[in-house]
Amino acid sequence: MSDVARVAGVSSATVSYVLSGKRPVTEETRRSVESAIEQLGFSLNPVARSLRTGKSTMVALVVPDIANPFYALLARSIQDELRGRGYHVLVSSTGARRDEEEALLHEVVHQRFAGVVMTPFRLATDAFDVLRSAGIPAVVSADVSFGDVDLVTPDADGAVRETLAHVAATGRRRIGVLAGPLDATGGDPRLERIREHAAGAGLRIDREHVVHGEHTREAGAEGFERLMRARTRPEAVLCGNDITAVGAMDTAERLGLDIPGDVSLVGHDDIEFASLVRPRLTTIRYPAREVGRAAAGLLLEQIDGRTRRRTVRVAAAFVARASV
Amino acid sequence: MSDVARVAGVSSATVSYVLSGKRPVTEETRRSVESAIEQLGFSLNPVARSLRTGKSTMVALVVPDIANPFYALLARSIQDELRGRGYHVLVSSTGARRDEEEALLHEVVHQRFAGVVMTPFRLATDAFDVLRSAGIPAVVSADVSFGDVDLVTPDADGAVRETLAHVAATGRRRIGVLAGPLDATGGDPRLERIREHAAGAGLRIDREHVVHGEHTREAGAEGFERLMRARTRPEAVLCGNDITAVGAMDTAERLGLDIPGDVSLVGHDDIEFASLVRPRLTTIRYPAREVGRAAAGLLLEQIDGRTRRRTVRVAAAFVARASV
DNA sequence: CTGAAAGCGCTAACAA
DNA sequence: TTGTTAGCGCTTTCAG
C-alpha cells in the first residue's frame, strides 16, 4: 500500500480512504491513486485489515454433517447470498458432537469471524452468549431456540397436521416415531409437534413406539427394526429426517416388509433423494434454499447494525408421495 | 500475550517461544508461562500470527458444487484429515464457472491460505503457476493434469474395461455417452477413456451418440432425450456422473422407456443415491473418502516441505447393479 | 537461556 | 482535503 502511495504521490492514509470511501477525496487524487493501484496490481491485504479492525470477511457455517444433502444445499444457498457482499463461507461439520460444536464456536470468536450461522445440536442454550458479548453476529437455524440469538425455524404445525390427517385417512391408527437422540438440546421438537397433533387426527403413539437415535441412515435402520419387533407394530412410522427414513427402508427390505402395504413411512426435509427412492418417500418438506436465504438475510442485517433479536419462520409443507 | 508475559514475569518473546517450542526454555520459565496462560485463559491470535508469518491455518476446498454428494463427502473427508493438524477447511462452490474458479484462486493467494485443494473445470492449465510462485501448497483432484501441481486422479482403465465388457455381455453393441461440456479444460477424460476401450469390447460409439452438457440432473435429462430421439438409438448410455444418470432416468420415465429393458444406463462416482434409485444404478465407483484422504495427505506433505511434484492414483471400480 | 525491538499491512485518531 | 503516526498481536533477528 505504501508503494501505491508513493507512485500516486500521496500518503498511505489517503490510499486507504480512497479504497474505503470513509472520507471525501478530490476527484484528482482519487484518479491518481486508482491508476497507481491498477498499475501495480495492488489489492488490500485482508489479514492486516482484520488484525487492525478486529473483523474478518469469513462467515462460518457450522452444521452437523455437510454430507447430509440438506446441509449441503443450505451451504450453497448461504454462500450464494453472501458472496455478493464479499463474505467467504467456511463450512464445518460437527458430527453433532457437543465438543466439536463448542470448539468451532470458540474458533469463531477467536478468529474474529464476521459472523456465524449454526445448526447446534447438543450445545448448551447459553452457548451463544459469548458471541453476543464478543459482538459477533450469529444466527441459529434450528427447531428450537438457543437463547438470545437470531433464529430461523420451521413453521410446521400446518404441515404436520396435514401429514397426520393424510396418514389417518389411510386407516392407520397407531403410529411410531424415529426420533432424534435423547440428549439433544431442547429434546426433539419434531417429535413434540407430532405428539401434539396426533390425538387431533385420531392417532395414538404408544410409549414403545418412540425410539431415539442419531439422524443417520444406520441409526434409522436400527430404530425401525426395533419398532418392527415391538409387541404390537405401529402402522405408520414418522422419521426424524429423510436419511433415517432411508435407513428404515433398508430394514424394511431386509425384513421383507412392504411399504406402504405393511407399514407407512414419512420422512422429514425432502432432500433430493426422497423423490428418488422407491417407493417415493412421503415427507415434510423444509426448504433448504429458503432457510439459507433467511439465515443469510438475518446475518447481513446484524452486520449492518441491527441489534434487536429477530426470528424468521420458514414454512414447512406436506409432500404426498408413495410411502403412505 | 503481553499480559501473559507480565504475569509470568518474562518477555513476550519468551511466551512466544514457549508456545512454539522454537528455542529451548528452562523448565521453570515454561511452567510459569504455562500457568499464566492457564490463569488468563489466553490463546494466540491467529490473525496477528498470519500477518506476521504470512501463513494462515485456512485450507480452501474449491469444487464445482458442494451440493453434489460426491463433493460433500470429499469435503467431509478432507476436513476430517486436516482438523487434527489444526487446519480449517473453507469450502467454496464455483458452479464450474471459470471466472469463479479464477476468483477463488486469487483469493487463496491473497489471503495467504495454508493450501488449497481444488477440482478445476474450466481453468487454464497454467492457472496454478501463481500458487507455486506464491509458495502455496496446492493439490488438484481431477481426471486430467493441470500443469505442475500435485494431482489426485482416478486409476480407471480397468474399471472402464470391466464396465464395457459387462455391457457387451448383455448383447448391447451401440453405446452412447452423456459427456461433459465441450469447453471443459482438457476435454472429457471419462469420455476419452470410454472411447479408448470401446472397440476392444466390441462396442461402437457413433458420432451422434455423444452429447455434451453440464454435470447436472437437468442437463442429463436433456442429453438423454437427444440420444433417445437420434435416428438410431444407442442400446446403452454411459453418463458423466451419477447425477446426469438420474436426469437420464427422469427422461426415461417421462418417455415410458424401461431401464435396462429398452436401454441400459451406467453412472459414474457411486454417490449414495446411486444405490437408492430404481433400478439401482450400475456405476463406476470413485471413492470420495479415499480421494479426500489422498488429497489431504499430499497437501500436508507439501506443507511439511516436500517440493517435488507427486501424483496419486485412486482406484475406480465397476459396480454392477440393475441398470444394465 | 532470555530480552528488546522492529515490523508484517492496514485503519483511524489527531493535526494541519 | 490531506498527512502523520500509533498500534492491532504476533514472530524473529540481534544483543546480551
Side-chain angles (χ1 to χ4, degrees):
Chain A
M1 183 153 126
S2 59
D3 293 345
V4 174
R6 192 168 342 96
V7 169
V10 298
S11 75
S12 66
T14 299
V15 176
S16 174
Y17 285 118
V18 167
L19 255 14
S20 70
K22 288 195 179 172
R23 78 181 186 192
V25 171
T26 55
E27 196 47 40
E28 191 191 343
T29 49
R30 148 165 296 113
R31 254 198 299 277
S32 70
V33 166
E34 278 167 354
S35 83
I37 286 173
E38 177 83 8
Q39 178 188 331
L40 299 175
F42 167 85
S43 55
L44 276 175
N45 177 331
V47 178
R49 185 193 162 92
S50 286
L51 177 59
R52 177 61 227 239
T53 62
K55 284 280 165 213
S56 81
T57 60
M58 304 282 190
V59 168
L61 171 64
V62 183
V63 295
D65 182 8
I66 188 61
N68 175 335
F70 178 84
Y71 295 115
L73 208 51
L74 182 70
R76 201 173 67 179
S77 168
I78 289 177
Q79 195 187 292
D80 289 348
E81 297 295 319
L82 258 28
R83 198 198 324 253
R85 284 281 302 262
Y87 293 102
H88 298 273
V89 179
L90 187 148
V91 185
S92 271
S93 301
T94 61
R97 290 193 306 278
R98 180 171 177 160
D99 55 343
E100 282 294 345
E101 295 180 331
E102 283 170 349
L104 257 355
L105 229 40
H106 177 254
E107 197 72 28
V108 163
V109 329
H110 199 229
Q111 297 250 18
R112 296 283 138 71
F113 273 57
V116 53
V117 1
M118 180 166 187
T119 296
F121 204 78
R122 290 187 161 90
L123 220 42
T125 48
D126 63 354
F128 288 90
D129 293 355
V130 301
L131 289 183
R132 173 154 289 244
S133 53
I136 296 178
V139 4
V140 163
S141 167
D143 273 275
V144 58
S145 170
F146 274 74
D148 194 20
V149 214
D150 275 13
L151 182 68
V152 6
T153 195
D155 180 1
D157 285 297
V160 167
R161 264 199 303 267
E162 208 178 327
T163 304
L164 294 173
H166 179 84
V167 167
T170 65
R172 319 284 176 167
R173 285 299 166 262
R174 278 172 293 117
I175 66 172
V177 179
L178 241 46
L182 276 168
D183 63 343
T185 306
D188 185 338
R190 290 182 171 184
L191 168 61
E192 296 315 323
R193 253 193 314 258
I194 291 164
R195 277 199 163 120
E196 192 177 321
H197 297 295
L203 266 19
R204 55 177 290 184
I205 307 175
D206 292 347
R207 179 177 299 270
E208 64 169 354
H209 287 162
V210 174
V211 304
H212 295 271
E214 298 296 323
H215 287 304
T216 63
R217 187 166 169 180
E218 294 70 29
E222 194 184 310
F224 188 75
E225 177 152 12
R226 289 222 300 286
L227 251 21
M228 291 303 102
R229 298 205 186 288
R231 284 167 311 169
T232 63
R233 253 183 210 165
E235 299 160 298
V237 174
L238 308 211
C239 306
N241 68 15
D242 294 340
I243 295 185
T244 55
V246 169
M249 285 180 162
D250 293 339
T251 295
E253 183 165 1
R254 191 161 52 75
L255 265 34
L257 258 24
D258 181 62
I259 293 172
D262 296 313
V263 55
S264 293
L265 212 55
V266 177
H268 235 295
D269 283 346
D270 194 21
I271 58 183
E272 187 170 13
F273 65 53
S275 61
L276 259 20
V277 292
R278 293 305 152 90
R280 297 177 198 276
L281 186 65
T282 293
T283 193
I284 297 174
R285 174 166 164 72
Y286 189 47
R289 307 204 69 105
E290 277 180 49
V291 173
R293 254 197 303 278
L298 288 179
L299 199 73
L300 255 11
E301 286 177 18
Q302 287 184 64
I303 289 175
D304 293 341
R306 171 174 58 76
T307 56
R308 242 189 52 247
R309 189 179 161 319
R310 275 196 62 195
T311 289
V312 358
R313 310 190 79 83
V314 174
F318 173 59
V319 179
R321 285 201 273 251
S323 65
V324 171
Chain B
M1 183 152 127
S2 59
D3 293 344
V4 174
R6 192 168 341 95
V7 170
V10 298
S11 74
S12 66
T14 299
V15 176
S16 174
Y17 285 118
V18 166
L19 254 15
S20 70
K22 288 194 179 173
R23 80 181 185 193
V25 172
T26 56
E27 197 47 39
E28 192 191 342
T29 49
R30 148 165 296 112
R31 255 198 301 278
S32 71
V33 167
E34 278 167 354
S35 83
I37 286 173
E38 177 82 8
Q39 178 190 330
L40 299 175
F42 168 85
S43 55
L44 276 174
N45 177 330
V47 179
R49 185 194 161 92
S50 287
L51 178 58
R52 177 58 227 236
T53 62
K55 283 282 164 211
S56 82
T57 60
M58 304 281 190
V59 168
L61 171 64
V62 183
V63 296
D65 182 9
I66 188 60
N68 175 335
F70 178 85
Y71 295 115
L73 208 49
L74 182 71
R76 202 172 67 179
S77 168
I78 289 177
Q79 196 186 290
D80 290 347
E81 297 295 319
L82 258 29
R83 196 197 327 251
R85 285 281 302 263
Y87 293 102
H88 298 274
V89 179
L90 186 148
V91 185
S92 270
S93 302
T94 61
R97 291 193 306 278
R98 179 171 178 162
D99 55 343
E100 282 295 344
E101 296 180 330
E102 283 170 348
L104 257 355
L105 229 42
H106 177 255
E107 198 71 27
V108 163
V109 329
H110 199 228
Q111 298 251 18
R112 295 285 139 70
F113 273 56
V116 53
V117 2
M118 179 168 188
T119 295
F121 204 79
R122 291 187 161 91
L123 219 44
T125 48
D126 63 355
F128 288 90
D129 293 354
V130 300
L131 289 184
R132 173 154 289 244
S133 53
I136 295 178
V139 4
V140 162
S141 167
D143 273 275
V144 58
S145 169
F146 273 74
D148 195 19
V149 215
D150 276 11
L151 183 67
V152 177
T153 195
D155 180 1
D157 285 299
V160 167
R161 265 199 304 267
E162 209 179 326
T163 305
L164 295 174
H166 179 84
V167 168
T170 64
R172 319 283 177 168
R173 285 299 166 262
R174 276 171 294 116
I175 66 172
V177 179
L178 241 45
L182 277 168
D183 62 345
T185 307
D188 186 338
R190 292 182 169 183
L191 168 61
E192 296 315 324
R193 256 195 311 262
I194 291 165
R195 278 199 162 119
E196 192 177 320
H197 297 295
L203 265 20
R204 56 176 290 185
I205 307 175
D206 293 347
R207 178 177 301 270
E208 64 169 354
H209 288 162
V210 175
V211 304
H212 296 271
E214 297 296 323
H215 287 304
T216 64
R217 187 166 170 181
E218 294 69 30
E222 194 184 312
F224 188 75
E225 177 153 12
R226 289 223 299 287
L227 250 23
M228 290 303 102
R229 298 205 186 288
R231 284 167 311 169
T232 64
R233 253 185 209 163
E235 298 160 299
V237 174
L238 309 211
C239 306
N241 68 16
D242 294 340
I243 295 183
T244 54
V246 169
M249 284 180 161
D250 293 339
T251 295
E253 183 166 1
R254 191 161 52 75
L255 265 34
L257 259 23
D258 181 61
I259 292 173
D262 296 314
V263 53
S264 293
L265 214 54
V266 178
H268 235 294
D269 284 343
D270 195 20
I271 57 184
E272 187 170 13
F273 64 53
S275 62
L276 259 20
V277 292
R278 293 306 152 89
R280 297 177 198 277
L281 187 66
T282 294
T283 192
I284 297 173
R285 176 166 162 72
Y286 189 47
R289 305 205 71 104
E290 278 180 48
V291 173
R293 255 198 301 279
L298 287 178
L299 199 73
L300 254 12
E301 286 178 16
Q302 288 183 63
I303 288 175
D304 293 340
R306 171 174 58 76
T307 55
R308 244 191 47 248
R309 189 180 161 318
R310 276 197 62 195
T311 290
V312 358
R313 312 189 78 82
V314 174
F318 174 59
V319 179
R321 285 200 273 251
S323 65
V324 170

